[in-house]
Amino acid sequence: MSLTLFVLRRLGRGVLTIWFAVTVTFLLLRLLPGDPALAVASTNMTEEARAALLVQYGLDQPLPVQYVLYLGELLQGNLGTSFTQSVPVLDVLLHRLPWTLLLTFTALALTVVVGVPLGALAASAKGRTWDRVVQVVGVTGQSLFVPSVGIVLLFLFGLALGWFPIGGAYDQDVYGFEWYGSVLSHLVLPALSLTLVQLGPYVLTMRAALVDALGDDYVTLARANGLSPRRILWKHALRNALLPTTTLIGLQLGFLVGGAVLTETVFAYPGIGRGIYEAVTQLDFPVLQGAFLLLAVTVVAANMLTDIAYGFLDPRVKTS
Amino acid sequence: MTAPLTDPALTDQALTDPALTGAPLDEPGRGRRAGSATWRAFRRQPLGVFSLAVLALIVLVSVFAPVLSEPPASYGPDVLQPPGGAHPFGTDALGRDVLAEVVWGTRQSVLVAVAASAIAIAFGTLVAVVGAYFRRVDAVVGVLVDLTLSLPVLPLMILVAALAGPSTTTIILVVAAFSWPEVTRLVRSQALAVVGLPYVDAARLMTRNAAWIIGRHVVPAVTPVVVVSVVVTASRAVLSAAGLAFLGLGDPTTWSWGRILYEAQQSGAMVSAWWLTLFPSLAILALVLSATLVSIAYNDARNPRNHDR
């Protein structure tokens, strides 16, 4: 398959996924035994206001017509109005998105940078102590509850040791270089919590893929040629074992974002997740709906970019 | 014998999930002999047995919660007392006994885990085996599962739970509704391998009753994977339900581990009163970790290579 075709197919799949997310949201909002007007306006509106809203949003129309109207509004970037802040939902969310992106990408980068060598360490010591230790860490990591991890880190490094601030994303009264410094120090604990929770699957996948790769014929050949074990592991086996790990990034992005929602809640980090928490407390349904759609689009786009980037690096991806 | 796992989706999953690596296909109808051999192999793994005991203990606590502790009162005289004396786990911002909250929270967490995973397993398995048997259905199932799994599920659960109004039933249904694709993915790859085996072709010669073939031959062959995914799904359900409760979407009339954390956060004592968060966190960790370890031990145990010969 040519590269253009591969990229086009991948783009098509991304669009399909987003359409699916939108349709699921639409069906949930309309088919749940709640008042659809609630999705666009407050719970304490008057009966006339409700009727006017139903007409304004076309909610008095049959379901298929509503669906087309809904798609049309979304394509224009209209996610409704947040009724607690009386501003378009999209504005509220786009304001918060950079913080969520900063947090999740930092955590993802940390996870890969720590997870791949840990997995390699376990695979190269297969059956020995280090392998056991790494596997125990991996399995335990998968069982952690994100807020619990966040609270423990907050207690240890925020409160007891005082190394890092205990909430927020930056200091109010600093500017320039210092401001970036404050952003960084606020980022450490949330990113660390998210990394600890994410690490397990990456370590275990990397280990399993490397153990497989180390049993392949080309590794035996390299060994027969007298290459050092380290060179075989890092130069030959690792490259071939990276594919499942890259696939895993795509599979885990959804969980990563879910973890970010909980992490931001613990650390009062001003991203979309904290926005979701506040919207839940105020029953701000338009924000909840918009947050899901925006996060879905972000996840799908990130996934697509990873796949396409990897398609350029590894010819096997294009054919599969 | 052991069929090679050819489906790429399965390979990914097998690598993702430690519980699945190195697990061969079970032949259907190996019957009780294999079952007892599996049990013997399981008993030889101290960690697995210990985890099973922890799981059993948690279930016992949830069943006997009314005997173990009074239901948490709505307020008490001693506010934010550290653990000790009359309150082994301390008290919260309204003076309620944290031990009682954790004990009664066990009930709710176990209930949600069992109910949500039962629904997800039943539906997910059904979709997977029917899909594997009828290839035309499978194409749809595959795309549906892929699409659902590539979306951020927690924000979707939050939206639905908020719209439907927080209650135990809502939480069970919401968690179940977004957990079945994971089950389907696990079971489907195994079912696809089984459907291609000669004995299923032989069964096709005997009857055209697809339901009979699926029920009699396909389902028994995927049962081990289903058992593993029961455990995985249940522990994920615990985490999802706790997450929803932590965000304030738990049942406000029942105690759950997530709700203890949520109230700790709301009262502003989340970090300073460490006992408020430590005990429910340990409870969640104990349940999820022991379930994961049991599934790993079970998987090792049913591998015939680890049986006595």
Side-chain angles (χ1 to χ4, degrees), chain A residues 206-221:
Chain A
M206 193 63 227
R207 179 192 170 275
L210 256 181
V211 166
D212 260 12
L214 285 173
D216 277 349
D217 289 346
Y218 68 89
V219 169
T220 314
L221 177 69

Side-chain angles (χ1 to χ4, degrees), chain A residues 46-104:
Chain A
T46 62
E47 197 49 45
E48 296 83 62
R50 183 175 171 276
L53 267 175
L54 289 182
V55 174
Q56 184 195 337
Y57 283 89
L59 290 173
D60 51 344
Q61 310 272 345
L63 214 57
V65 180
Q66 287 185 31
Y67 181 59
V68 174
L69 287 174
Y70 183 76
L71 289 184
E73 291 294 326
L74 287 184
L75 281 178
Q76 296 168 43
N78 181 5
L79 289 172
T81 308
S82 159
F83 57 75
T84 49
Q85 303 172 59
S86 305
V87 275
V89 167
L90 194 64
D91 292 358
V92 178
L93 294 174
L94 285 183
H95 206 66
R96 288 174 169 274
L97 186 62
W99 294 112
T100 299
L101 290 181
L102 178 68
L103 174 61
T104 46

Side-chain angles (χ1 to χ4, degrees), chain B residues 73-79 94-96:
Chain B
S74 43
Y75 57 89
D78 309 315
V79 173
L94 291 174
R96 293 169 296 201

Side-chain angles (χ1 to χ4, degrees), chain A residues 13 16-17 20-21 24-25 28-29 32 34-35 38-39 139-140 142-145 147-148 151-152 154-155 159 201 204-205 208-209 212 244 247-248 250-252 254-255 257-259 261-262 265-266 273-274 276-277 280-281 283 285 288-289 291-292 295-296 299-300 303, chain B residues 12-18 21 47 143-144 146-156 158-160 162-164 178 182 185 236 238-240 242-244 246-249 258 261-262 265-266 270-274 277-278 280-282 284-285 288-290 292-293 296:
Chain A
R13 242 190 84 187
L16 179 70
T17 315
F20 177 72
V24 165
T25 316
L28 283 173
L29 291 177
L32 276 177
D35 184 349
L38 283 183
V139 171
T140 314
Q142 280 184 320
S143 317
L144 293 172
F145 183 48
S148 301
I151 294 165
V152 168
L154 207 54
F155 183 76
L159 209 72
L204 296 172
T205 305
D212 260 12
T247 324
L248 187 67
L251 287 172
Q252 290 280 322
F255 287 107
V257 166
V261 171
L262 295 170
T265 305
V266 173
R274 180 74 186 189
I276 287 181
Y277 169 71
V280 165
T281 348
L283 290 178
F285 296 114
L288 288 181
Q289 184 204 228
F292 165 65
L295 288 177
V299 163
V300 169
N303 204 348
Chain B
D12 290 343
Q13 186 53 40
L15 293 169
T16 319
D17 198 326
T21 44
L47 201 57
V143 172
L144 202 63
D146 268 5
L147 290 180
T148 317
L149 287 177
S150 56
L151 292 177
V153 173
L154 188 68
L156 192 54
I158 294 168
L159 175 64
V160 178
L163 278 167
F178 298 110
E182 191 72 49
R185 187 169 68 164
R236 290 250 171 94
V238 171
L239 291 177
S240 303
L244 287 175
F246 178 69
L247 292 166
L249 288 166
L261 294 172
Y262 168 70
Q265 157 124 345
Q266 288 277 306
M270 180 173 74
V271 178
S272 49
W274 53 267
T277 49
L278 179 69
S281 294
L282 285 180
I284 296 173
L285 182 65
V288 177
L289 186 58
S290 59
T292 314
L293 290 175
I296 292 176

Side-chain angles (χ1 to χ4, degrees), chain A residues 231-249:
Chain A
R231 196 179 159 85
I232 293 173
L233 181 70
W234 292 99
K235 284 272 171 192
H236 296 261
L238 188 72
R239 289 189 179 190
N240 286 286
L242 275 178
L243 182 57
T245 313
T246 334
T247 324
L248 187 67
I249 296 181

